Amino acid sequence: VDKIEADYETSKDGALTAEGLESTVQWAFAALAFVEEPLVDDIQYQLQRLRRICCRLVAEASLPEASRPRLALLLVLVGDVFGQQ
């Protein structure tokens, strides 16, 4: 989550690359495969952070168009599968 947030902060300077964000999103998908329920407090907190960052990134006009669908899918997973609203 920290890496995605750092990428988001970098994007404000116009330096966000599709490749860098792509590898981070792939890592997040892989990490979500190992999340066990019920969620402990720290995991729930990190998922909420991930949801907020994904919302901001999807709404970002400077986001590379190729990254938008993967971020939207990540947002759906965190919201619907793990119940982070």
Side-chain angles (χ1 to χ4, degrees):
V1 176
D2 292 332
K3 173 73 168 107
I4 295 174
E5 193 165 36
D7 286 347
Y8 174 71
E9 294 300 324
T10 303
S11 74
K12 291 180 180 179
D13 301 330
L16 183 64
T17 64
E19 297 81 24
L21 187 59
E22 182 69 24
S23 65
T24 305
V25 170
Q26 286 178 1
W27 180 88
F29 277 117
L32 287 175
F34 294 97
V35 173
E36 295 180 6
E37 291 184 316
L39 300 174
V40 295
D41 291 342
D42 184 54
I43 299 296
Q44 188 169 359
Y45 169 72
Q46 296 299 333
L47 288 172
Q48 289 172 0
R49 284 183 61 207
L50 181 60
R51 183 190 59 81
R52 288 185 201 112
I53 294 165
C54 286
C55 285
R56 285 184 284 184
L57 278 169
V58 168
E60 189 72 34
S62 65
L63 179 70
E65 198 60 38
S67 300
R68 200 172 303 274
R70 289 193 185 269
L71 281 169
L73 180 58
L74 191 58
L75 184 58
V76 168
L77 282 173
V78 170
D80 291 350
V81 175
F82 294 105
Q84 303 303 306
Q85 301 299 325

PDB file of all heavy atoms in Angstrom, residues 9-46:
ATOM      1  N   GLU A   9       1.606   9.880  -5.065  1.00  0.00           N
ATOM      2  CA  GLU A   9       2.236  11.161  -4.762  1.00  0.00           C
ATOM      3  C   GLU A   9       3.152  11.594  -5.903  1.00  0.00           C
ATOM      4  O   GLU A   9       3.223  12.771  -6.235  1.00  0.00           O
ATOM      5  CB  GLU A   9       2.999  11.087  -3.439  1.00  0.00           C
ATOM      6  CG  GLU A   9       2.111  10.883  -2.230  1.00  0.00           C
ATOM      7  CD  GLU A   9       1.089  11.987  -2.035  1.00  0.00           C
ATOM      8  OE1 GLU A   9       1.404  13.160  -2.315  1.00  0.00           O
ATOM      9  OE2 GLU A   9      -0.033  11.665  -1.612  1.00  0.00           O
ATOM     10  N   THR A  10       3.847  10.632  -6.499  1.00  0.00           N
ATOM     11  CA  THR A  10       4.717  10.933  -7.640  1.00  0.00           C
ATOM     12  C   THR A  10       3.899  11.399  -8.833  1.00  0.00           C
ATOM     13  O   THR A  10       4.341  12.258  -9.598  1.00  0.00           O
ATOM     14  CB  THR A  10       5.530   9.682  -8.025  1.00  0.00           C
ATOM     15  OG1 THR A  10       6.266   9.263  -6.884  1.00  0.00           O
ATOM     16  CG2 THR A  10       6.495   9.972  -9.156  1.00  0.00           C
ATOM     17  N   SER A  11       2.697  10.849  -8.980  1.00  0.00           N
ATOM     18  CA  SER A  11       1.858  11.192 -10.127  1.00  0.00           C
ATOM     19  C   SER A  11       1.450  12.655 -10.107  1.00  0.00           C
ATOM     20  O   SER A  11       1.147  13.225 -11.140  1.00  0.00           O
ATOM     21  CB  SER A  11       0.617  10.301 -10.190  1.00  0.00           C
ATOM     22  OG  SER A  11      -0.305  10.664  -9.191  1.00  0.00           O
ATOM     23  N   LYS A  12       1.427  13.253  -8.940  1.00  0.00           N
ATOM     24  CA  LYS A  12       1.075  14.669  -8.855  1.00  0.00           C
ATOM     25  C   LYS A  12       2.114  15.531  -9.568  1.00  0.00           C
ATOM     26  O   LYS A  12       1.811  16.631 -10.011  1.00  0.00           O
ATOM     27  CB  LYS A  12       0.942  15.094  -7.399  1.00  0.00           C
ATOM     28  CG  LYS A  12      -0.258  14.474  -6.719  1.00  0.00           C
ATOM     29  CD  LYS A  12      -0.328  14.923  -5.284  1.00  0.00           C
ATOM     30  CE  LYS A  12      -1.528  14.292  -4.599  1.00  0.00           C
ATOM     31  NZ  LYS A  12      -1.602  14.687  -3.190  1.00  0.00           N
ATOM     32  N   ASP A  13       3.339  15.017  -9.679  1.00  0.00           N
ATOM     33  CA  ASP A  13       4.400  15.721 -10.383  1.00  0.00           C
ATOM     34  C   ASP A  13       4.447  15.340 -11.855  1.00  0.00           C
ATOM     35  O   ASP A  13       5.328  15.778 -12.578  1.00  0.00           O
ATOM     36  CB  ASP A  13       5.759  15.413  -9.749  1.00  0.00           C
ATOM     37  CG  ASP A  13       5.806  15.813  -8.283  1.00  0.00           C
ATOM     38  OD1 ASP A  13       5.107  16.776  -7.911  1.00  0.00           O
ATOM     39  OD2 ASP A  13       6.525  15.149  -7.528  1.00  0.00           O
ATOM     40  N   GLY A  14       3.525  14.484 -12.294  1.00  0.00           N
ATOM     41  CA  GLY A  14       3.477  14.053 -13.683  1.00  0.00           C
ATOM     42  C   GLY A  14       4.472  12.954 -14.015  1.00  0.00           C
ATOM     43  O   GLY A  14       4.718  12.675 -15.178  1.00  0.00           O
ATOM     44  N   ALA A  15       5.050  12.296 -13.024  1.00  0.00           N
ATOM     45  CA  ALA A  15       6.091  11.301 -13.259  1.00  0.00           C
ATOM     46  C   ALA A  15       5.587   9.863 -13.141  1.00  0.00           C
ATOM     47  O   ALA A  15       6.372   8.942 -13.129  1.00  0.00           O
ATOM     48  CB  ALA A  15       7.241  11.520 -12.292  1.00  0.00           C
ATOM     49  N   LEU A  16       4.283   9.668 -13.062  1.00  0.00           N
ATOM     50  CA  LEU A  16       3.737   8.322 -12.930  1.00  0.00           C
ATOM     51  C   LEU A  16       3.851   7.583 -14.253  1.00  0.00           C
ATOM     52  O   LEU A  16       3.423   8.076 -15.281  1.00  0.00           O
ATOM     53  CB  LEU A  16       2.267   8.390 -12.507  1.00  0.00           C
ATOM     54  CG  LEU A  16       1.564   7.067 -12.249  1.00  0.00           C
ATOM     55  CD1 LEU A  16       2.228   6.362 -11.069  1.00  0.00           C
ATOM     56  CD2 LEU A  16       0.106   7.308 -11.949  1.00  0.00           C
ATOM     57  N   THR A  17       4.452   6.400 -14.204  1.00  0.00           N
ATOM     58  CA  THR A  17       4.590   5.600 -15.413  1.00  0.00           C
ATOM     59  C   THR A  17       3.671   4.397 -15.331  1.00  0.00           C
ATOM     60  O   THR A  17       3.418   3.864 -14.249  1.00  0.00           O
ATOM     61  CB  THR A  17       6.033   5.107 -15.607  1.00  0.00           C
ATOM     62  OG1 THR A  17       6.366   4.231 -14.536  1.00  0.00           O
ATOM     63  CG2 THR A  17       7.012   6.269 -15.651  1.00  0.00           C
ATOM     64  N   ALA A  18       3.186   3.972 -16.471  1.00  0.00           N
ATOM     65  CA  ALA A  18       2.295   2.815 -16.521  1.00  0.00           C
ATOM     66  C   ALA A  18       3.021   1.556 -16.053  1.00  0.00           C
ATOM     67  O   ALA A  18       2.445   0.713 -15.371  1.00  0.00           O
ATOM     68  CB  ALA A  18       1.761   2.630 -17.941  1.00  0.00           C
ATOM     69  N   GLU A  19       4.316   1.424 -16.403  1.00  0.00           N
ATOM     70  CA  GLU A  19       5.071   0.229 -16.034  1.00  0.00           C
ATOM     71  C   GLU A  19       5.263   0.132 -14.523  1.00  0.00           C
ATOM     72  O   GLU A  19       5.117  -0.934 -13.927  1.00  0.00           O
ATOM     73  CB  GLU A  19       6.440   0.201 -16.726  1.00  0.00           C
ATOM     74  CG  GLU A  19       6.368   0.132 -18.234  1.00  0.00           C
ATOM     75  CD  GLU A  19       6.129   1.491 -18.885  1.00  0.00           C
ATOM     76  OE1 GLU A  19       6.456   2.533 -18.276  1.00  0.00           O
ATOM     77  OE2 GLU A  19       5.583   1.508 -19.987  1.00  0.00           O
ATOM     78  N   GLY A  20       5.601   1.224 -13.893  1.00  0.00           N
ATOM     79  CA  GLY A  20       5.805   1.226 -12.452  1.00  0.00           C
ATOM     80  C   GLY A  20       4.527   0.929 -11.698  1.00  0.00           C
ATOM     81  O   GLY A  20       4.508   0.137 -10.754  1.00  0.00           O
ATOM     82  N   LEU A  21       3.448   1.538 -12.127  1.00  0.00           N
ATOM     83  CA  LEU A  21       2.164   1.299 -11.484  1.00  0.00           C
ATOM     84  C   LEU A  21       1.688  -0.125 -11.752  1.00  0.00           C
ATOM     85  O   LEU A  21       1.137  -0.777 -10.868  1.00  0.00           O
ATOM     86  CB  LEU A  21       1.135   2.305 -11.985  1.00  0.00           C
ATOM     87  CG  LEU A  21      -0.215   2.291 -11.292  1.00  0.00           C
ATOM     88  CD1 LEU A  21      -0.046   2.554  -9.797  1.00  0.00           C
ATOM     89  CD2 LEU A  21      -1.131   3.316 -11.907  1.00  0.00           C
ATOM     90  N   GLU A  22       1.929  -0.623 -12.947  1.00  0.00           N
ATOM     91  CA  GLU A  22       1.517  -1.979 -13.312  1.00  0.00           C
ATOM     92  C   GLU A  22       2.158  -3.028 -12.413  1.00  0.00           C
ATOM     93  O   GLU A  22       1.486  -3.938 -11.925  1.00  0.00           O
ATOM     94  CB  GLU A  22       1.877  -2.251 -14.773  1.00  0.00           C
ATOM     95  CG  GLU A  22       1.457  -3.595 -15.284  1.00  0.00           C
ATOM     96  CD  GLU A  22      -0.047  -3.723 -15.419  1.00  0.00           C
ATOM     97  OE1 GLU A  22      -0.722  -2.703 -15.557  1.00  0.00           O
ATOM     98  OE2 GLU A  22      -0.532  -4.864 -15.365  1.00  0.00           O
ATOM     99  N   SER A  23       3.435  -2.905 -12.177  1.00  0.00           N
ATOM    100  CA  SER A  23       4.108  -3.892 -11.323  1.00  0.00           C
ATOM    101  C   SER A  23       3.607  -3.813  -9.878  1.00  0.00           C
ATOM    102  O   SER A  23       3.457  -4.836  -9.214  1.00  0.00           O
ATOM    103  CB  SER A  23       5.624  -3.711 -11.373  1.00  0.00           C
ATOM    104  OG  SER A  23       5.993  -2.478 -10.823  1.00  0.00           O
ATOM    105  N   THR A  24       3.302  -2.622  -9.414  1.00  0.00           N
ATOM    106  CA  THR A  24       2.795  -2.459  -8.060  1.00  0.00           C
ATOM    107  C   THR A  24       1.392  -3.045  -7.929  1.00  0.00           C
ATOM    108  O   THR A  24       1.079  -3.713  -6.942  1.00  0.00           O
ATOM    109  CB  THR A  24       2.776  -0.969  -7.676  1.00  0.00           C
ATOM    110  OG1 THR A  24       4.083  -0.427  -7.867  1.00  0.00           O
ATOM    111  CG2 THR A  24       2.366  -0.774  -6.246  1.00  0.00           C
ATOM    112  N   VAL A  25       0.559  -2.834  -8.936  1.00  0.00           N
ATOM    113  CA  VAL A  25      -0.798  -3.384  -8.912  1.00  0.00           C
ATOM    114  C   VAL A  25      -0.750  -4.905  -8.986  1.00  0.00           C
ATOM    115  O   VAL A  25      -1.500  -5.593  -8.291  1.00  0.00           O
ATOM    116  CB  VAL A  25      -1.648  -2.775 -10.047  1.00  0.00           C
ATOM    117  CG1 VAL A  25      -2.974  -3.502 -10.197  1.00  0.00           C
ATOM    118  CG2 VAL A  25      -1.890  -1.299  -9.781  1.00  0.00           C
ATOM    119  N   GLN A  26       0.147  -5.455  -9.783  1.00  0.00           N
ATOM    120  CA  GLN A  26       0.296  -6.911  -9.843  1.00  0.00           C
ATOM    121  C   GLN A  26       0.702  -7.462  -8.482  1.00  0.00           C
ATOM    122  O   GLN A  26       0.199  -8.502  -8.049  1.00  0.00           O
ATOM    123  CB  GLN A  26       1.333  -7.307 -10.898  1.00  0.00           C
ATOM    124  CG  GLN A  26       0.842  -7.167 -12.303  1.00  0.00           C
ATOM    125  CD  GLN A  26       1.918  -7.514 -13.320  1.00  0.00           C
ATOM    126  OE1 GLN A  26       3.030  -7.876 -12.975  1.00  0.00           O
ATOM    127  NE2 GLN A  26       1.571  -7.396 -14.583  1.00  0.00           N
ATOM    128  N   TRP A  27       1.592  -6.782  -7.809  1.00  0.00           N
ATOM    129  CA  TRP A  27       2.005  -7.202  -6.473  1.00  0.00           C
ATOM    130  C   TRP A  27       0.810  -7.168  -5.515  1.00  0.00           C
ATOM    131  O   TRP A  27       0.630  -8.071  -4.700  1.00  0.00           O
ATOM    132  CB  TRP A  27       3.118  -6.300  -5.968  1.00  0.00           C
ATOM    133  CG  TRP A  27       3.575  -6.684  -4.614  1.00  0.00           C
ATOM    134  CD1 TRP A  27       4.541  -7.585  -4.289  1.00  0.00           C
ATOM    135  CD2 TRP A  27       3.058  -6.212  -3.363  1.00  0.00           C
ATOM    136  NE1 TRP A  27       4.654  -7.693  -2.919  1.00  0.00           N
ATOM    137  CE2 TRP A  27       3.756  -6.860  -2.331  1.00  0.00           C
ATOM    138  CE3 TRP A  27       2.072  -5.292  -3.029  1.00  0.00           C
ATOM    139  CZ2 TRP A  27       3.501  -6.622  -0.994  1.00  0.00           C
ATOM    140  CZ3 TRP A  27       1.807  -5.064  -1.685  1.00  0.00           C
ATOM    141  CH2 TRP A  27       2.526  -5.726  -0.688  1.00  0.00           C
ATOM    142  N   ALA A  28      -0.025  -6.134  -5.614  1.00  0.00           N
ATOM    143  CA  ALA A  28      -1.195  -6.022  -4.740  1.00  0.00           C
ATOM    144  C   ALA A  28      -2.171  -7.168  -4.986  1.00  0.00           C
ATOM    145  O   ALA A  28      -2.722  -7.740  -4.040  1.00  0.00           O
ATOM    146  CB  ALA A  28      -1.880  -4.675  -4.953  1.00  0.00           C
ATOM    147  N   PHE A  29      -2.389  -7.536  -6.255  1.00  0.00           N
ATOM    148  CA  PHE A  29      -3.257  -8.677  -6.565  1.00  0.00           C
ATOM    149  C   PHE A  29      -2.708  -9.952  -5.925  1.00  0.00           C
ATOM    150  O   PHE A  29      -3.456 -10.738  -5.339  1.00  0.00           O
ATOM    151  CB  PHE A  29      -3.377  -8.891  -8.076  1.00  0.00           C
ATOM    152  CG  PHE A  29      -4.398  -8.007  -8.740  1.00  0.00           C
ATOM    153  CD1 PHE A  29      -4.012  -7.082  -9.679  1.00  0.00           C
ATOM    154  CD2 PHE A  29      -5.744  -8.117  -8.426  1.00  0.00           C
ATOM    155  CE1 PHE A  29      -4.944  -6.277 -10.313  1.00  0.00           C
ATOM    156  CE2 PHE A  29      -6.688  -7.315  -9.036  1.00  0.00           C
ATOM    157  CZ  PHE A  29      -6.281  -6.385  -9.985  1.00  0.00           C
ATOM    158  N   ALA A  30      -1.411 -10.156  -6.037  1.00  0.00           N
ATOM    159  CA  ALA A  30      -0.790 -11.357  -5.465  1.00  0.00           C
ATOM    160  C   ALA A  30      -0.923 -11.354  -3.943  1.00  0.00           C
ATOM    161  O   ALA A  30      -1.212 -12.395  -3.335  1.00  0.00           O
ATOM    162  CB  ALA A  30       0.676 -11.431  -5.871  1.00  0.00           C
ATOM    163  N   ALA A  31      -0.738 -10.208  -3.315  1.00  0.00           N
ATOM    164  CA  ALA A  31      -0.853 -10.120  -1.859  1.00  0.00           C
ATOM    165  C   ALA A  31      -2.286 -10.395  -1.410  1.00  0.00           C
ATOM    166  O   ALA A  31      -2.506 -11.056  -0.385  1.00  0.00           O
ATOM    167  CB  ALA A  31      -0.398  -8.749  -1.378  1.00  0.00           C
ATOM    168  N   LEU A  32      -3.272  -9.931  -2.177  1.00  0.00           N
ATOM    169  CA  LEU A  32      -4.667 -10.162  -1.811  1.00  0.00           C
ATOM    170  C   LEU A  32      -5.041 -11.634  -1.862  1.00  0.00           C
ATOM    171  O   LEU A  32      -5.960 -12.070  -1.160  1.00  0.00           O
ATOM    172  CB  LEU A  32      -5.597  -9.354  -2.718  1.00  0.00           C
ATOM    173  CG  LEU A  32      -5.633  -7.852  -2.468  1.00  0.00           C
ATOM    174  CD1 LEU A  32      -6.501  -7.165  -3.509  1.00  0.00           C
ATOM    175  CD2 LEU A  32      -6.131  -7.550  -1.076  1.00  0.00           C
ATOM    176  N   ALA A  33      -4.329 -12.404  -2.665  1.00  0.00           N
ATOM    177  CA  ALA A  33      -4.612 -13.839  -2.755  1.00  0.00           C
ATOM    178  C   ALA A  33      -4.324 -14.556  -1.439  1.00  0.00           C
ATOM    179  O   ALA A  33      -4.853 -15.642  -1.210  1.00  0.00           O
ATOM    180  CB  ALA A  33      -3.792 -14.461  -3.882  1.00  0.00           C
ATOM    181  N   PHE A  34      -3.511 -13.954  -0.586  1.00  0.00           N
ATOM    182  CA  PHE A  34      -3.128 -14.593   0.671  1.00  0.00           C
ATOM    183  C   PHE A  34      -3.810 -13.993   1.902  1.00  0.00           C
ATOM    184  O   PHE A  34      -3.523 -14.393   3.021  1.00  0.00           O
ATOM    185  CB  PHE A  34      -1.606 -14.537   0.848  1.00  0.00           C
ATOM    186  CG  PHE A  34      -0.877 -15.351  -0.174  1.00  0.00           C
ATOM    187  CD1 PHE A  34      -0.361 -14.760  -1.319  1.00  0.00           C
ATOM    188  CD2 PHE A  34      -0.750 -16.723  -0.005  1.00  0.00           C
ATOM    189  CE1 PHE A  34       0.288 -15.520  -2.272  1.00  0.00           C
ATOM    190  CE2 PHE A  34      -0.098 -17.490  -0.957  1.00  0.00           C
ATOM    191  CZ  PHE A  34       0.423 -16.887  -2.095  1.00  0.00           C
ATOM    192  N   VAL A  35      -4.716 -13.054   1.695  1.00  0.00           N
ATOM    193  CA  VAL A  35      -5.430 -12.445   2.815  1.00  0.00           C
ATOM    194  C   VAL A  35      -6.462 -13.441   3.325  1.00  0.00           C
ATOM    195  O   VAL A  35      -7.237 -13.999   2.555  1.00  0.00           O
ATOM    196  CB  VAL A  35      -6.110 -11.124   2.396  1.00  0.00           C
ATOM    197  CG1 VAL A  35      -6.989 -10.587   3.508  1.00  0.00           C
ATOM    198  CG2 VAL A  35      -5.062 -10.097   2.015  1.00  0.00           C
ATOM    199  N   GLU A  36      -6.432 -13.672   4.625  1.00  0.00           N
ATOM    200  CA  GLU A  36      -7.367 -14.605   5.244  1.00  0.00           C
ATOM    201  C   GLU A  36      -8.439 -13.840   6.012  1.00  0.00           C
ATOM    202  O   GLU A  36      -8.176 -12.781   6.573  1.00  0.00           O
ATOM    203  CB  GLU A  36      -6.623 -15.541   6.196  1.00  0.00           C
ATOM    204  CG  GLU A  36      -5.636 -16.449   5.496  1.00  0.00           C
ATOM    205  CD  GLU A  36      -4.916 -17.375   6.461  1.00  0.00           C
ATOM    206  OE1 GLU A  36      -5.261 -17.391   7.657  1.00  0.00           O
ATOM    207  OE2 GLU A  36      -4.001 -18.070   6.003  1.00  0.00           O
ATOM    208  N   GLU A  37      -9.623 -14.402   5.999  1.00  0.00           N
ATOM    209  CA  GLU A  37     -10.714 -13.829   6.779  1.00  0.00           C
ATOM    210  C   GLU A  37     -10.933 -14.672   8.015  1.00  0.00           C
ATOM    211  O   GLU A  37     -10.702 -15.876   7.970  1.00  0.00           O
ATOM    212  CB  GLU A  37     -11.979 -13.760   5.936  1.00  0.00           C
ATOM    213  CG  GLU A  37     -11.854 -12.733   4.819  1.00  0.00           C
ATOM    214  CD  GLU A  37     -13.137 -12.586   4.027  1.00  0.00           C
ATOM    215  OE1 GLU A  37     -13.749 -13.627   3.706  1.00  0.00           O
ATOM    216  OE2 GLU A  37     -13.506 -11.441   3.733  1.00  0.00           O
ATOM    217  N   PRO A  38     -11.355 -14.142   9.121  1.00  0.00           N
ATOM    218  CA  PRO A  38     -11.731 -12.749   9.325  1.00  0.00           C
ATOM    219  C   PRO A  38     -10.501 -11.844   9.319  1.00  0.00           C
ATOM    220  O   PRO A  38      -9.400 -12.257   9.680  1.00  0.00           O
ATOM    221  CB  PRO A  38     -12.411 -12.758  10.691  1.00  0.00           C
ATOM    222  CG  PRO A  38     -11.827 -13.926  11.403  1.00  0.00           C
ATOM    223  CD  PRO A  38     -11.501 -14.941  10.342  1.00  0.00           C
ATOM    224  N   LEU A  39     -10.718 -10.625   8.894  1.00  0.00           N
ATOM    225  CA  LEU A  39      -9.630  -9.662   8.770  1.00  0.00           C
ATOM    226  C   LEU A  39      -9.193  -9.155  10.142  1.00  0.00           C
ATOM    227  O   LEU A  39     -10.026  -8.761  10.952  1.00  0.00           O
ATOM    228  CB  LEU A  39     -10.071  -8.477   7.920  1.00  0.00           C
ATOM    229  CG  LEU A  39     -10.506  -8.787   6.488  1.00  0.00           C
ATOM    230  CD1 LEU A  39     -11.048  -7.533   5.822  1.00  0.00           C
ATOM    231  CD2 LEU A  39      -9.360  -9.366   5.687  1.00  0.00           C
ATOM    232  N   VAL A  40      -7.904  -9.166  10.381  1.00  0.00           N
ATOM    233  CA  VAL A  40      -7.381  -8.546  11.600  1.00  0.00           C
ATOM    234  C   VAL A  40      -7.341  -7.034  11.375  1.00  0.00           C
ATOM    235  O   VAL A  40      -7.393  -6.551  10.239  1.00  0.00           O
ATOM    236  CB  VAL A  40      -5.988  -9.106  11.976  1.00  0.00           C
ATOM    237  CG1 VAL A  40      -6.078 -10.569  12.325  1.00  0.00           C
ATOM    238  CG2 VAL A  40      -4.987  -8.891  10.872  1.00  0.00           C
ATOM    239  N   ASP A  41      -7.238  -6.291  12.447  1.00  0.00           N
ATOM    240  CA  ASP A  41      -7.338  -4.830  12.367  1.00  0.00           C
ATOM    241  C   ASP A  41      -6.330  -4.212  11.410  1.00  0.00           C
ATOM    242  O   ASP A  41      -6.666  -3.326  10.627  1.00  0.00           O
ATOM    243  CB  ASP A  41      -7.186  -4.208  13.748  1.00  0.00           C
ATOM    244  CG  ASP A  41      -8.371  -4.502  14.649  1.00  0.00           C
ATOM    245  OD1 ASP A  41      -9.436  -4.886  14.125  1.00  0.00           O
ATOM    246  OD2 ASP A  41      -8.224  -4.355  15.876  1.00  0.00           O
ATOM    247  N   ASP A  42      -5.080  -4.666  11.455  1.00  0.00           N
ATOM    248  CA  ASP A  42      -4.051  -4.080  10.602  1.00  0.00           C
ATOM    249  C   ASP A  42      -4.338  -4.339   9.120  1.00  0.00           C
ATOM    250  O   ASP A  42      -4.181  -3.438   8.298  1.00  0.00           O
ATOM    251  CB  ASP A  42      -2.671  -4.623  10.958  1.00  0.00           C
ATOM    252  CG  ASP A  42      -1.578  -3.958  10.143  1.00  0.00           C
ATOM    253  OD1 ASP A  42      -1.516  -2.703  10.154  1.00  0.00           O
ATOM    254  OD2 ASP A  42      -0.817  -4.671   9.467  1.00  0.00           O
ATOM    255  N   ILE A  43      -4.776  -5.531   8.786  1.00  0.00           N
ATOM    256  CA  ILE A  43      -5.099  -5.845   7.390  1.00  0.00           C
ATOM    257  C   ILE A  43      -6.299  -5.025   6.940  1.00  0.00           C
ATOM    258  O   ILE A  43      -6.317  -4.494   5.823  1.00  0.00           O
ATOM    259  CB  ILE A  43      -5.375  -7.361   7.212  1.00  0.00           C
ATOM    260  CG1 ILE A  43      -4.146  -8.186   7.581  1.00  0.00           C
ATOM    261  CG2 ILE A  43      -5.847  -7.671   5.804  1.00  0.00           C
ATOM    262  CD1 ILE A  43      -2.944  -7.945   6.697  1.00  0.00           C
ATOM    263  N   GLN A  44      -7.285  -4.888   7.796  1.00  0.00           N
ATOM    264  CA  GLN A  44      -8.451  -4.080   7.454  1.00  0.00           C
ATOM    265  C   GLN A  44      -8.043  -2.624   7.208  1.00  0.00           C
ATOM    266  O   GLN A  44      -8.503  -1.995   6.253  1.00  0.00           O
ATOM    267  CB  GLN A  44      -9.492  -4.164   8.565  1.00  0.00           C
ATOM    268  CG  GLN A  44     -10.788  -3.509   8.194  1.00  0.00           C
ATOM    269  CD  GLN A  44     -11.899  -3.828   9.172  1.00  0.00           C
ATOM    270  OE1 GLN A  44     -11.701  -4.561  10.127  1.00  0.00           O
ATOM    271  NE2 GLN A  44     -13.058  -3.279   8.934  1.00  0.00           N
ATOM    272  N   TYR A  45      -7.172  -2.107   8.040  1.00  0.00           N
ATOM    273  CA  TYR A  45      -6.675  -0.739   7.867  1.00  0.00           C
ATOM    274  C   TYR A  45      -5.944  -0.585   6.531  1.00  0.00           C
ATOM    275  O   TYR A  45      -6.168   0.379   5.795  1.00  0.00           O
ATOM    276  CB  TYR A  45      -5.751  -0.375   9.038  1.00  0.00           C
ATOM    277  CG  TYR A  45      -4.992   0.905   8.836  1.00  0.00           C
ATOM    278  CD1 TYR A  45      -5.633   2.134   8.890  1.00  0.00           C
ATOM    279  CD2 TYR A  45      -3.615   0.885   8.575  1.00  0.00           C
ATOM    280  CE1 TYR A  45      -4.938   3.310   8.700  1.00  0.00           C
ATOM    281  CE2 TYR A  45      -2.915   2.057   8.387  1.00  0.00           C
ATOM    282  CZ  TYR A  45      -3.579   3.269   8.445  1.00  0.00           C
ATOM    283  OH  TYR A  45      -2.875   4.430   8.248  1.00  0.00           O
ATOM    284  N   GLN A  46      -5.079  -1.546   6.200  1.00  0.00           N
ATOM    285  CA  GLN A  46      -4.329  -1.481   4.943  1.00  0.00           C
ATOM    286  C   GLN A  46      -5.265  -1.599   3.736  1.00  0.00           C
ATOM    287  O   GLN A  46      -5.064  -0.924   2.714  1.00  0.00           O
ATOM    288  CB  GLN A  46      -3.254  -2.568   4.893  1.00  0.00           C
ATOM    289  CG  GLN A  46      -2.171  -2.429   5.941  1.00  0.00           C
ATOM    290  CD  GLN A  46      -1.383  -1.138   5.834  1.00  0.00           C
ATOM    291  OE1 GLN A  46      -1.259  -0.540   4.770  1.00  0.00           O
ATOM    292  NE2 GLN A  46      -0.844  -0.691   6.949  1.00  0.00           N
TER     293      GLN A  46
END
